[in-house]
Structures are given as C-alpha cells and as structure tokens.
C-alpha cells in the first residue's frame, strides 16, 4: 500500500510528484463522472496525504544535504539548452560504480538517457546526460529536487544503511539506541582464544573494531573540546549559534556528521564480528526448522516439514511462484488489456499466480484509497475488462490474486460538521464503521485494533455488520469475478484475528499479508541480528492461525544490505539458518526483491540496482514463496529479465518449494553459497566458490550472470509440478 502510514505517526503517503509540488491531479472512479462533493472529498484525503508528503520532503531534503556532503556531487539541471531533453550535469569526486548508480537511479525513476558525455580527470567526474521522461519529455523543473535527491541517495557512500523512506528516515528510538562496547569486547575476549579455523578473520575483524573505536573516541574528544570552548556561546532568536563568540557553526556540524559516520562504521564492524562469532558457534548444516519457542504461543505441533503447518491456504501449494503484475504507474493505461496480452508468456515462464492491483473505485488512481468496494471500474480498466482478464488468467492455469485494501475506506459524503464519514454504494455505512480514535472523521466505533492510518477513515473490524459486509464482498470477488486469492494490504492496521475471519469465511486458495515493519538499526546501521523483526511477522501469521502467509521484509532488508554493502556474512543467522522469516517459518514467508512501494517510481526502499541478479538468484533458489516484480521481469538491462527466466526454470525443474532444506556452505563478505535439497547449489557475490571439491565434476553449472552462479547435481531428479 502507498497512500498512508505503515507505522503509527510515520509517513507512508505518496502522490505523483506534480501533486506533491502543488499541482492538481484528477482522480475518478474509472469512466464514471465525479461529482463536486466527491471532488471535495478527494481533495480532503489528498490534502491529508499531501501534508505527510511535505513532511517527508523536508526529511528527504535533510537527507539529500547530508548525502551531498558525503558524496561531494554537484547535480544541475537545464531545460533551456535542449528543447527535446533535460541536460543533467554531475560533477564531483569519483566513486566506484558511480556511473552504474546514476543510470540505475534514472532507470528507477523511469527516465531515459538518450546519450551522455563521461569525463574523469584526477579523481573527479564531469558527466553530462541528455535525459527524458518515459513519455519522451523534459523533466519538469518542479521535479528536479526529487530527482536530485534520488540520485544522491543512490550514489551515497555513507556507512549508514538505507532505511524505508516510508518511515520518515528512521524511528527516533532506532537512532538513539546504543550498543555498549563492553558487550562486544567481552564476547571477543571470551571467544577469540577458542577459535581455530577463523583465527585470521577474527584477528582482522578485531583490528577493524579497534581502529573504528579509536576513530570515534577521537571525534568525541574533539567535540568535547568544542563544547568547552562553546560554554559562552550565545544563541540568537532562531536558535543559530553566533560566530562572534568564537565557535564555527559549520565546524561543529561537520564534527557531528563525522561522529555519526564513525559510529556507523563502528557498528558495522561490530556486526561483522557478531556474525563471525555466530558462525563459529553454529553447527554446520543446521536445517531450516527452528524451535517452536521462537515462534511464540500456538507454535506447538505446527512444524510438519521444515516449518510448514497444515492449517489454512497461506502461500498455496508450496510450489507457487508469484508475479506482481503491476507497478506504481500501471494505472496510467488500460492495464487489464496489457495483462491479457501477456498472460500466456507469464504461464510459460513458470509463474503460478498473478498479483493484480486493487480492483475497486478509489480516490487515488493506484487504488489504495478505496471508496465504493462494489464499483469495479478503476483506473486499470472497467469491470467487464477485469472479468475478461481473470478468465484469461485462469485459462492459462494461473491464479488471480486480488489486492484487498480493507484497513480503511474513503467516505462518499460529509456530515453536518464537514467530516467525511457517510459511505455510499452497496455498503452504505455510517460513522459507526469508523474507529473512535479517528476524531477527524467523527468515528463512533471501537478503538482501532492496529496502527492508525491518518489519511482516511479506519474501518472498525470489531463491528459485526462490517465483518459480514466485507465477507460478502470477498465472496463476491471470488464467486462472481473469479479471484483465487487475496493479498491483504497494510495488515498492521487491524488485528490479525480479523484477517483469519475473512480467510476462513471466503476460503481463498492463497492469502498473503503485507506486514511492513521497520527493521532494527543501531547508529543508522542495520543490526546483524534481526530475530525480533522477523518474530513480529511470525507473530502476526500466528494471529491468523497460520491461515495467511506474509511478505518477508526481513529477508529483503538483510539481503539488500548484504549485497549492497558487500556483507554477505549477514545471510546466515546465529543458528546456521537463513536470517529472515524464511529461516523459521518458510511456508509462510513470501520472499521478494522489490514491489511498487519499495521500487518502481516511488523508490521508498530500493534494492541496490547492481545487485538485482544476486537478489533473484537467492530468492528463486531458496525456500519460501518467491514473488517477482513486474519491472524486473521485463528489464533487458544487463540481461536481468533473461536471468530471471532461467532461474524460474531451474526452480521448477528441480522442484524447489517453500519448505526446501538449505545448507549454508559459505557466508563471508564477498561470497554466499548454499546447497538446496542436495539438488541445487547457488553462489552470489564476486568471491570464488565451486561445489566441485578436489577436481570432481559432480555439479554442473546451469546458470550464471553478474556475481551469481547456479549448479545442479548430476543425476538430480527432474521434477514435474502437480
């Protein structure tokens, strides 16, 4: 979901950049006419979103400034020199993979580079690009700032981790957490003498930690000296330090920035040490099962084969391969007709299910501010075209998965106090259907059972009439339209037990929840141990009684950090398992690299562009249920689309499924390797690795590409899916 909040008080709103900059956007229910009252209602909800967007823009501006300081890149735009394109000039210090980062940022924003002049002298770049939008037009001046920020973010060489922009930048508690050095030091002192095979690595890691700690101490001492010198500093009415008192404000800001960077480097070194110690303690080849105590209450008896349960549809048969069949811009054309033409190709590639965009009338064109649930005329096409698409999808042997947005619903009319709380259409609810803590909408229902969503009325799922109506609608989508499964949007907004009611009452063939929770960070660096993060996702699945799977945001966060930072030691947990949800409940983990929120033109939390091949090599050969992003499947650049097709074939051919067993063979900075079901071995990263020891040729290379390779075992049984 994009148009609201992912965590209480945290911005998750997104609009077209033109609207965020103050331009009007026209939103309507498919081909139907929008009344003046509906326009007022739309502007109200979009105003709420716009306020959040502006708050996030201020955060982005600060992030861009700090990124500019770190990367020392000057980015300028010119629409006057060339009437057919925007001239983008980039000047500054050269960096590794700078050109790849810049062009990748352009691609993520759907910008086309017509040609470029690349020049490097004495460690500095002076690059000039001729760029157009996807429609072949110049980049509007109002969008220059956001493009600049995106490029700077892509090129940032800071040691601080990328975090979802959907949360602002990071929760305050995450920024202020401190991990005592004494803890890591005591671990090192206690364990270092006992390590035999990894002595060299530990020695190097310890030296890195020592140097990083010394660097941080030096900066802290400099700041302490500055603080003493600033004891008499006056502050003007706007809170600015006065230079006349002998304190250089720019110097202080530079020191503070250096301290944050040094703390991030130290935290990264500590994470590397933690991973080394965990690897030393882990029994080799521990299977992906995990004790039930890790999953909390209700776990007993759930684990059948490597973490599967026998209750509910969850991710389907275990052999599902899902395609997210849309992106953030798909609403700008008749998308249903596009997919009708592509359905045969998707089936031939090996997908088993297509995740479709929200099908209902919506205040926002992407569908994530739903209004009349039974009106199935949307920006993607009308109801007749939707019915035809579902029919075609199923004729190809594929499942059609609907995007279900029921955390909130936009009203049709205002009450006498101007609050949008009167609903129209077949589900003509009043303010009893709105949670009572939604004061701005005059809700009189019970308190919200999950996180608040400020942009629209939060539905009170405790009301029996709401439950009955939503179940009736889901069954209409299933029985009349023909949908096979549900993808539940923003499930943090209401209790998991209600999701179970809707699943039990509609009996889909598969069900997946979007439980997007922020990973754990310290000093701006992703923690090595993300057990608490994945546990929260598992707990939500438990609330549904195991009837729903969930997108594995833990795996995404760790995998993109591992690939982007050359820290593939992150890809094994303290017990030798994959570190995401897939490591403790694989049959309920839907793995993915990108979606319309994190990537596409939004780019809220993008996967490193140069590491996409590695990412797909990982999720398409590992347990869990993989979900491929539409944009990546059709990406010709660097052969990514072709690589995905080959990996899909391997997964199908050798019967890799959601409960496949993984043996992690290597997990170091430049190389991760794993054996899956003793049929397939995968390696990602630039480091050397081969499964063929002592010159043997037991394993045959069947697929390779940028920083990845996959082998199959000679004589391994070729699998035919049921």
């Amino acid at each position: 979901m994009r148009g609201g909040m992912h965590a209480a008080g945290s911005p998750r709103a997104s609009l077209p950049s033109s609207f965020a900059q103050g331009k009007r956007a026209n939103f309507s229910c498919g081909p139907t006419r929008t009344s003046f009252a509906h326009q007022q209602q739309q502007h109200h909800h979009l105003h709420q979103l716009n306020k959040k967007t502006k708050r996030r823009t201020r955060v982005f501006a600060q992030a861009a400034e700090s990124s500019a300081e770190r990367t020392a890149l000057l980015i300028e735009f010119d629409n006057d020199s060339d009437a057919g394109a925007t001239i983008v000039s980039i000047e500054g210090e050269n960096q590794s993979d700078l050109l790849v980062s810049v062009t990748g940022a352009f691609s993520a924003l759907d910008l086309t580079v017509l040609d470029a002049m690349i020049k490097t002298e004495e460690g500095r770049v002076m690059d000039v690009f001729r760029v157009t939008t996807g429609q072949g037009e110049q980049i509007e001046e109002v969008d220059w700032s956001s493009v600049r920020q995106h490029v700077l973010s892509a090129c940032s060489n800071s040691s601080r981790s990328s975090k979802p922009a959907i949360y602002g930048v990071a929760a305050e508690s995450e920024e202020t957490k401190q991990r005592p050095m004494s803890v890591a030091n005591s671990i090192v002192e206690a364990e270092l003498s006992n390590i035999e095979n990894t002595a060299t690595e530990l020695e190097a890691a310890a030296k890195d930690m020592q140097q990083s700690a010394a660097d941080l101490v030096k900066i802290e001492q400099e700041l302490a000296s500055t603080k003493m010198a600033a004891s008499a500093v006056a502050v003007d009415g706007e809170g600015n330090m006065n230079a006349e008192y002998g304190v250089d404000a720019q110097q202080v800001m530079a020191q503070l920035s250096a301290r944050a960077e040094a703390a991030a480097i130290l935290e990264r070194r500590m994470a590397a040490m933690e991973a080394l110690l965990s690897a030393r303690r882990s029994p080799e080849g521990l299977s992906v099962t995990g004790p039930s105590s890790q999953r909390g209450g209700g776990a007993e008896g759930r684990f059948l084969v490597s973490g599967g349960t026998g209750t509910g549809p969850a991710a389907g048969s275990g052999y599902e391969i899902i395609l997210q069949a849309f992106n953030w811009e798909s609403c700008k054309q008749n998308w249903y007709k596009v997919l009708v033409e592509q359905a045969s190709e998707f089936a031939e590639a090996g997908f088993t299910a297509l995740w479709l965009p929200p099908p209902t009338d919506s205040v926002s064109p992407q569908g994530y501010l739903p209004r009349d649930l039974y009106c199935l005329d949307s920006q993607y096409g009308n109801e007749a075209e939707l019915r035809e698409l579902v029919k075609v999808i199923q004729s190809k042997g594929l499942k059609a998965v609907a995007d279900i947005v029921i955390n909130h619903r936009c009203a049709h009319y205002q009450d006498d106090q101007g609050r949008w709380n009167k609903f129209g259409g077949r589900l003509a609810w009043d303010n009893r259907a709105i949670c009572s803590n939604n004061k701005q909408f005059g809700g009189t229902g019970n308190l919200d059972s999950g996180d608040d969503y400020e942009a629209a009325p939060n539905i009170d799922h405790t009301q029996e009439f709401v439950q009955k109506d939503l179940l009736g609608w889901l069954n209409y989508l299933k029985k009349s339209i023909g949908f096979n499964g549900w993808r539940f949007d923003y499930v943090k907004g209401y209790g998991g037990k209600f999701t179970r009611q809707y699943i039990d009452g509609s009996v889909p063939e598969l069900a997946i929840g979007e439980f997007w929770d922020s990973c754990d960070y310290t000093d701006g660096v992703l923690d090595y141990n993300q057990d608490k993060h994945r546990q929260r996702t598992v707990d939500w699945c438990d609330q549904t009684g195991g009837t729903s799977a969930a997108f594995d945001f833990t795996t995404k966060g760790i995998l993109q950090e591992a690939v982007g930072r050359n820290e593939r030691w992150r890809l094994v947990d303290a017990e030798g398992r994959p570190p995401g949800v897939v490591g403790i409940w694989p049959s309920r983990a839907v793995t993915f690299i990108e979606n319309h929120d994190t990537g596409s033109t939004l780019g809220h939390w993008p996967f490193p562009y140069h590491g996409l091949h590695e990412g797909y090599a990982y999720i398409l050969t590992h347990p869990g249920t993989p979900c491929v992003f539409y944009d990546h499947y059709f990406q010709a650049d660097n052969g990514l689309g072709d690589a995905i097709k080959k990996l899909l074939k391997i997964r199908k051919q050798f019967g890799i499924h959601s409960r496949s067993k993984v043996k992690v063979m290597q997990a170091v900075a430049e190389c991760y390797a794993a054996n899956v079901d003793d049929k397939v071995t995968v390696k990602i990263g630039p480091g050397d690795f081969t499964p063929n020891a002592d010159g043997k040729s037991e394993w045959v290379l069947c697929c390779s590409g940028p920083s990845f390779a996959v082998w199959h075992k000679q004589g391994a049984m070729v699998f035919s899916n049921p």
Side-chain angles (χ1 to χ4, degrees):
M1 156 158 193
R2 342 354 35 227
M5 314 261 296
H6 260 301
S10 305
R12 125 181 242 262
S14 288
L15 293 173
S17 57
S18 58
F19 188 91
Q21 298 292 342
K23 303 177 92 175
R24 288 185 180 271
N26 182 32
F27 301 101
S28 64
C29 173
T32 62
R33 187 180 301 277
T34 305
S35 68
F36 176 72
H38 285 177
Q39 291 175 2
Q40 281 187 309
Q41 177 232 22
Q42 290 167 358
H43 289 315
H44 169 80
H45 293 298
L46 293 174
H47 175 67
Q48 296 295 318
L49 290 173
N50 199 25
K51 288 197 296 184
K52 302 179 196 306
T53 303
K54 288 179 179 177
R55 289 201 299 269
R56 189 174 66 248
T57 300
R58 288 196 292 270
V59 175
F60 278 173
Q62 296 170 1
E65 290 170 5
S66 60
S67 294
E69 291 175 3
R70 294 192 297 266
T71 59
L73 291 178
L74 176 64
I75 303 178
E76 295 182 342
F77 298 79
D78 175 15
N79 274 350
D80 297 327
S81 301
D82 188 331
T86 297
I87 305 301
V88 182
S89 303
I90 300 179
E91 181 177 355
E93 297 177 5
N94 195 14
Q95 307 168 23
S96 66
D97 296 328
L98 177 62
L99 184 60
V100 172
S101 298
V102 171
T103 55
F106 287 153
S107 177
L109 294 172
D110 194 26
L111 299 176
T112 302
V113 177
L114 301 180
D115 52 58
M117 181 182 72
I118 310 301
K119 184 178 180 182
T120 305
E121 289 184 358
E122 297 180 352
R124 292 188 65 79
V125 297
M126 290 166 281
D127 299 344
V128 180
F129 301 86
R130 290 182 65 242
V131 181
T132 64
T133 66
Q135 292 72 42
E137 301 171 349
Q138 289 184 324
I139 306 170
E140 294 186 18
E141 187 172 349
V142 295
D143 294 326
W144 289 356
S145 178
S146 61
V147 174
R148 179 184 290 111
Q149 175 265 320
H150 195 89
V151 173
L152 287 173
S153 177
C155 297
S156 172
N157 58 7
S158 169
S159 289
R160 296 168 72 81
S161 303
S162 64
K163 301 181 184 179
I166 216 151
Y167 292 97
V169 172
E172 184 66 23
S173 61
E174 293 175 351
E175 292 288 3
T176 57
K177 283 191 305 183
Q178 297 291 327
R179 178 181 296 172
M181 274 295 298
S182 59
V183 174
N185 286 338
S186 63
I187 291 175
V188 173
E189 293 171 358
E191 301 284 56
L192 190 58
S193 61
N194 297 324
I195 297 176
E196 299 176 359
N197 297 330
T198 58
T200 302
E201 290 88 346
L202 279 168
E203 182 180 13
K207 287 181 178 178
D208 286 342
M209 278 181 53
Q210 183 179 22
Q211 183 60 55
S212 298
D215 292 342
L216 180 57
V217 168
K218 181 180 178 181
I219 295 172
E220 294 280 9
Q221 291 172 339
E222 292 173 352
L223 276 169
S225 299
T226 301
K227 181 179 180 181
M228 293 178 62
S231 58
V233 169
V235 179
D236 63 24
E238 296 182 356
N240 299 316
M241 291 186 290
N242 292 325
E244 61 186 271
Y245 286 84
V247 175
D248 186 338
Q250 290 186 343
Q251 178 186 352
V252 173
M253 293 305 296
Q255 288 177 321
L256 290 172
S257 177
R259 180 178 67 174
E261 188 68 15
I265 293 173
L266 176 58
E267 184 61 34
R268 204 165 284 286
R269 301 287 186 251
M270 292 169 63
M273 175 62 78
E274 184 179 356
L276 277 172
L277 292 170
S278 296
R280 177 187 175 277
R281 292 191 294 266
S282 299
E284 184 179 358
L286 189 65
S287 64
V288 187
T289 54
S292 61
S293 60
Q294 285 189 297
R295 298 213 10 257
E300 294 78 5
R302 290 279 182 82
F303 289 92
L304 300 180
V305 181
S306 298
T309 76
T311 60
S317 67
Y319 293 94
E320 307 290 356
I321 305 175
I322 303 169
L323 174 71
Q324 180 179 355
F326 65 99
N327 60 32
W328 190 248
E329 306 299 326
S330 298
C331 58
K332 295 181 179 179
Q333 56 184 305
N334 192 313
W335 197 245
Y336 295 155
K337 289 186 177 180
V338 172
L339 294 182
V340 164
E341 298 298 320
Q342 297 173 339
S344 293
E345 178 180 351
F346 297 149
E348 292 171 4
F351 292 107
T352 64
L354 301 187
W355 162 19
L356 302 180
T360 64
D361 161 42
S362 170
V363 171
S364 62
Q366 289 82 10
Y368 291 96
L369 287 175
R371 183 172 49 196
D372 186 348
L373 298 185
Y374 278 94
C375 174
L376 300 182
D377 295 332
S378 72
Q379 295 294 326
Y380 301 100
N382 60 39
E383 180 177 331
E385 291 164 337
L386 173 62
R387 288 179 179 274
E388 176 63 19
L389 172 60
V390 172
K391 180 179 178 181
V392 169
I393 287 173
Q394 293 177 340
S395 72
K396 307 299 180 183
L398 301 169
K399 299 180 179 69
V401 179
D403 204 325
I404 303 299
V405 186
I406 54 175
N407 170 74
H408 51 273
R409 181 187 173 196
C410 295
H412 290 67
Y413 315 105
Q414 295 171 290
D415 65 9
D416 55 7
Q417 298 183 45
R419 300 172 300 190
W420 293 96
N421 56 23
K422 293 184 176 181
F423 301 90
R426 286 177 58 176
L427 304 182
W429 299 337
D430 56 22
N431 58 359
R432 293 176 301 151
I434 303 174
C435 295
S436 59
N437 46 327
N438 270 185
K439 301 298 183 184
Q440 70 273 36
F441 298 107
T444 61
N446 295 309
L447 290 174
D448 203 337
S449 57
D451 289 352
D452 188 28
Y453 178 90
E454 295 179 2
N458 286 219
I459 295 174
D460 180 8
H461 290 268
T462 68
Q463 302 281 9
E464 290 187 8
F465 73 89
V466 169
Q467 297 170 10
K468 179 180 177 182
D469 286 348
L470 290 178
L471 266 176
W473 174 64
L474 288 172
N475 279 301
Y476 173 77
L477 292 180
K478 177 186 175 185
K479 297 176 181 179
S480 180
I481 307 301
F483 279 108
N484 305 96
W486 317 131
R487 178 265 185 189
F488 291 98
D489 180 73
Y490 191 44
V491 295
K492 288 189 68 178
Y494 54 100
K497 65 179 182 179
F498 300 114
T499 303
R500 178 175 187 170
Q501 285 184 240
Y502 302 135
I503 293 173
D504 287 345
S506 59
V507 196
E509 294 179 49
L510 66 165
I512 309 162
E514 181 209 30
F515 190 88
W516 190 351
D517 188 36
S518 182
C519 290
D520 296 325
Y521 299 83
T522 303
D523 283 332
V525 174
L526 184 74
D527 291 348
Y528 164 71
N529 189 329
Q530 294 292 325
D531 286 352
K532 291 181 179 179
H533 181 261
R534 64 177 172 180
Q535 186 64 52
R536 292 191 287 271
T537 302
V538 164
D539 288 345
W540 178 83
C541 291
D542 257 339
Q543 290 175 24
T544 73
T547 61
S548 180
F551 287 101
D552 192 348
F553 282 92
T554 314
T555 289
K556 173 179 167 58
I558 294 172
L559 184 58
Q560 66 186 37
E561 187 83 357
V563 170
R565 299 284 180 174
N566 204 33
E567 296 176 345
R568 293 166 190 82
W569 41 262
R570 292 181 176 273
L571 295 175
V572 60
D573 72 5
E575 297 188 38
R577 306 167 303 187
V581 178
V582 73
I584 54 176
W585 206 359
S587 66
R588 297 305 185 261
V590 176
T591 55
F592 69 105
I593 299 300
E594 213 76 281
N595 62 30
H596 56 297
D597 271 338
T598 64
S600 192
T601 53
L602 292 184
H604 281 332
W605 199 30
F607 201 91
Y609 182 79
H610 71 274
L612 290 172
H613 288 82
E614 292 186 55
Y616 278 107
Y618 183 93
I619 69 168
L620 290 174
T621 59
H622 276 57
T625 299
C627 182
V628 175
F629 186 43
Y630 181 90
D631 294 9
H632 294 161
Y633 178 80
F634 286 105
Q635 183 172 314
D637 187 28
N638 278 340
L640 179 62
D642 289 338
I644 290 173
K645 294 179 180 68
K646 293 177 182 177
L647 290 165
L648 288 170
K649 183 178 180 180
I650 291 170
R651 186 177 185 89
K652 301 280 284 189
Q653 183 177 6
F654 294 100
I656 300 172
H657 53 86
S658 66
R659 302 182 181 98
S660 287
K661 295 183 179 180
V662 175
K663 177 181 178 181
V664 178
M665 304 174 71
Q666 188 169 321
V668 296
E670 295 194 338
C671 181
Y672 168 86
N675 177 292
V676 182
D677 286 341
D678 200 31
K679 296 179 181 179
V680 170
T681 296
V682 59
K683 166 259 182 185
I684 63 173
D688 291 333
F689 175 84
T690 176
N692 289 313
D694 302 324
K696 297 180 180 179
S697 56
E698 183 182 12
W699 293 86
V700 179
L701 181 67
C702 53
C703 181
S704 64
S707 294
F708 85 92
V710 181
W711 297 261
H712 72 83
K713 193 173 187 178
Q714 289 201 53
M717 182 178 65
V718 175
F719 185 79
S720 177
N721 283 350

